[in-house]
Amino acid sequence: AWVDAFSQGGDRAKADKQLYDLIIGRRIAHDGHETLRAHVVGAAAKATKEDSMLRIVKASPNRKVDAAVATSMAAAKCLWLIL
């Protein structure tokens, strides 16, 4: 499959913070899909060196956050295309 590269450093931190802002601002919808819900519930935020950034991390080692991270990156790509 053809995909764009998405840096797991700065781009990811920006995207994770942007997803947080979209959620807090009620600017993103969720259909209640069980996997995404479980991955968001199992997520925690880790502050980065820059105060304005954060990373989605597992709240505990047995949790999964892959769907939350994928949502973060997808939302960022959508917004970057618009801007």
Side-chain angles (χ1 to χ4, degrees):
W2 178 85
V3 295
D4 279 337
F6 199 102
S7 154
Q8 291 300 301
D11 288 344
R12 166 83 187 283
K14 289 177 192 174
D16 289 355
K17 172 66 166 89
Q18 190 172 43
L19 178 62
Y20 173 81
D21 292 341
L22 289 171
I23 292 168
I24 293 301
R26 303 177 69 88
R27 295 180 52 219
I28 190 167
H30 174 359
D31 68 357
H33 191 277
E34 289 180 32
T35 300
L36 180 56
R37 180 172 168 31
H39 288 208
V40 170
V41 168
K46 178 181 177 183
T48 63
K49 292 178 185 175
E50 301 88 20
D51 290 334
S52 62
M53 303 293 179
L54 64 86
R55 290 281 301 233
I56 295 171
V57 295
K58 295 177 180 182
S60 65
N62 62 336
R63 299 289 187 140
K64 294 184 179 181
V65 296
D66 302 313
V69 171
T71 300
S72 166
M73 293 188 300
K77 283 293 187 177
C78 289
L79 291 171
W80 291 342
L81 291 173
I82 292 171
L83 304 174

